[in-house]
Amino acid sequence: MREKSKIKSLELATKVIHIGGEPDKETGAVTAPIYQTSTYVQKSPGKTKGYEYTRTHNPTRTRLEDCLASIEKGRYALATSSGLSANMLIMQVLPPGQTVICGDDVYGGTYRMFTKVFHQTHNFIFTDTTDLKNVQYLIKKHRPALLWLESPTNPLLKISDIEKLSGFAKKHNCLTVVDNTFMSPYFQNPLKLGADIVVHSLTKYINGHSDVVAGGLILNSKKLYDKLWFLQNSTGPTQSPFDSWLILRGLKTLAVRMKKHEENALEIAHFLNKHSKVENVIYPGLSSHPQHALAKRQTSGHGGMLTFYLKGGLRASRTFLSSLDIFSLAESLGGVESLIEHPAIMTHASVPKKIREKLGIQDNLIRVSVGIEDSKDLIKDLKNGLAKI
């Protein structure tokens, strides 16, 4: 392992290849091996080489966690079996009866977990976290244990001031969690902005190839890490060796992929913004985005996610989505291929209709995960689909 001082000085594009990707000590293999084992031989009872059972620790998963911690500029990381299992571990750390303030426009699975699973043991307040003064008021009034942020949010791409909110939360003994899935560590590092825990669906940009379901937690507190690790080891939502290896492989191209995702997304945003059948485009890289100035200050880029409203209702949306050839109509995001979906019917169907409509998740809202194909082909596909409405 390289000296820590040298590791810190590396840029992300180098880290994703070399941190966790060191040649195998036993054979010299350049590509990290997959330790596809459930258990490990002990020299004598209780005397191990650092590993005893793969639910607890695994060398391939350790490599992945080292890399995750490094690129998110944290000290500790846990790789979990899914993004939602990472969320679950955080919630299990909180003592019963605690209050959580959560963004009102979060991933539908997160909303479902909070309102259908943990609602009997914890109190949840959903609010627009872009409203700094209102969040500060709620923190003062309710004294929450946790502030849960998505920035940008899913699917409306609202951006919260992580630094100011985290700073205020700390003054009131409130932990801040930031779901950084949409931005990836390439464009944003919430821990450097004051957050206590960063959560990722590793399924998305970090893996980048739509062939793994996984989650990750990155943080700096040893005390909190130990609690989360104990819960993970006790309840079992760990990442398998093979999936850990796949994510390590996907991570190697994170930097080049994110550049292309952003480049394509910006071109498509400009195209849609000028189209007569599009009502409104939401993309942080456009000057029309309500938090564009904050996005420029808080992130180093704007990512590959965009949403837009079609002129027309559900019928127009169905016609458009069913007419595309290159864009795949599918849930999830962050893969090399372009995906497109209808949040009200698909990813956010678990959010009650009244709440969806209040947030702006209407029947004409389309969410796009822009891939890394040639942008000319992607725009041509969208143009053909819009012509069918």
Side-chain angles (χ1 to χ4, degrees):
M1 178 64 73
R2 297 169 181 82
E3 295 177 15
K4 289 186 177 181
S5 59
K6 292 183 179 179
I7 290 173
K8 289 181 179 180
S9 67
L10 298 175
E11 297 296 330
L12 182 141
T14 307
K15 286 181 176 181
V16 292
I17 294 172
H18 293 285
I19 305 301
E22 300 87 355
D24 179 41
K25 291 181 180 180
E26 295 295 323
T27 65
V30 171
T31 300
I34 306 171
Y35 286 87
Q36 195 65 46
T37 183
S38 60
T39 192
Y40 306 81
V41 170
Q42 300 187 17
K43 295 180 179 179
S44 62
K47 189 174 182 181
T48 71
K49 294 183 178 181
Y51 297 91
E52 57 188 46
Y53 194 64
T54 279
R55 186 191 67 248
T56 305
H57 290 298
N58 177 276
T60 312
R61 191 165 72 238
T62 297
R63 283 174 173 259
L64 172 59
E65 291 170 341
D66 287 345
C67 188
L68 292 174
S70 178
I71 61 177
E72 271 293 11
K73 301 183 179 179
R75 296 179 63 194
Y76 308 101
L78 290 172
T80 66
S81 56
S82 67
L84 283 174
S85 68
N87 291 4
M88 180 188 70
L89 291 174
I90 294 171
M91 291 308 305
Q92 288 176 330
V93 163
L94 296 185
Q98 297 295 309
T99 295
V100 176
I101 294 176
C102 180
D104 57 3
D105 177 39
V106 292
Y107 166 53
T110 299
Y111 182 87
R112 180 179 59 231
M113 175 181 284
F114 289 175
T115 59
K116 301 295 184 182
V117 179
F118 286 101
H119 66 294
Q120 293 182 334
T121 55
H122 298 81
N123 306 310
F124 293 92
I125 299 171
F126 294 92
T127 190
D128 182 357
T129 54
T130 66
D131 187 339
L132 188 63
K133 290 184 179 179
N134 183 55
V135 177
Q136 290 175 336
Y137 165 76
L138 291 173
I139 290 175
K140 282 184 178 180
K141 181 180 179 180
H142 296 281
R143 302 290 177 176
L146 197 67
L147 172 64
W148 192 286
L149 304 175
E150 278 185 15
S151 188
T153 60
N154 182 1
L156 296 173
L157 303 176
K158 296 190 291 187
I159 297 173
S160 300
D161 193 322
I162 296 172
E163 187 170 22
K164 288 184 179 179
L165 288 173
S166 298
F168 189 81
K170 273 187 174 61
K171 291 178 182 178
H172 292 80
N173 299 314
C174 173
L175 294 173
T176 301
V177 174
V178 177
D179 186 329
N180 199 33
T181 298
F182 272 25
M183 281 290 95
S184 88
Y186 183 76
F187 287 126
Q188 180 172 262
N189 294 121
L191 294 179
K192 300 299 289 185
L193 295 169
D196 297 289
I197 305 174
V198 172
V199 62
H200 279 280
S201 173
L202 303 181
T203 311
K204 313 304 194 296
Y205 287 112
I206 285 181
N207 177 56
H209 292 79
S210 301
D211 54 9
V212 168
V213 173
L217 296 169
I218 304 95
L219 63 163
N220 284 316
S221 167
K222 179 67 162 60
K223 183 178 180 181
L224 188 54
Y225 166 80
D226 287 342
K227 289 181 179 180
L228 289 164
W229 177 83
F230 174 82
L231 284 167
Q232 184 187 40
N233 187 46
S234 300
T235 60
T238 54
Q239 185 56 267
S240 73
F242 183 61
D243 284 349
S244 296
W245 182 84
L246 282 174
I247 299 168
L248 274 169
R249 186 178 66 165
L251 263 170
K252 292 180 180 181
T253 58
L254 179 66
V256 291
R257 285 189 285 107
M258 295 312 296
K259 288 178 183 178
K260 185 61 176 174
H261 282 300
E262 181 189 33
E263 178 185 312
N264 281 354
L266 188 58
E267 286 188 43
I268 289 172
H270 284 305
F271 161 74
L272 292 171
N273 212 25
K274 297 175 182 177
H275 202 283
S276 61
K277 293 183 180 179
V278 174
E279 185 178 292
N280 185 34
V281 179
I282 305 172
Y283 181 66
L286 295 178
S287 59
S288 58
H289 190 285
Q291 292 92 39
H292 177 64
L294 174 60
K296 290 177 67 177
R297 184 172 74 248
Q298 186 166 270
T299 66
S300 61
H302 306 295
M305 298 299 300
L306 65 86
T307 57
F308 66 96
Y309 292 90
L310 284 172
K311 289 182 179 178
L314 183 57
R315 184 176 180 180
S317 296
R318 287 185 183 278
T319 299
F320 167 71
L321 291 169
S322 301
S323 302
L324 301 173
D325 293 320
I326 297 177
F327 284 85
S328 296
L329 179 59
E331 296 188 10
S332 198
L333 59 102
V336 292
E337 63 288 306
S338 291
L339 303 178
I340 196 164
E341 64 106 6
H342 191 273
I345 296 176
M346 299 168 71
T347 54
H348 289 69
S350 60
V351 179
K353 182 177 174 62
K354 286 185 178 180
I355 295 176
R356 287 201 310 266
E357 292 180 345
K358 183 180 178 181
L359 292 173
I361 305 175
Q362 310 290 350
D363 285 343
N364 63 333
L365 179 68
I366 308 297
R367 192 191 76 175
V368 187
S369 173
V370 181
I372 63 172
E373 303 95 335
D374 192 294
S375 61
K376 294 185 182 68
D377 293 324
L378 295 176
I379 290 173
K380 183 179 179 181
D381 196 32
L382 292 171
K383 188 181 294 184
N384 290 339
L386 289 167
K388 300 289 178 63
I389 300 175

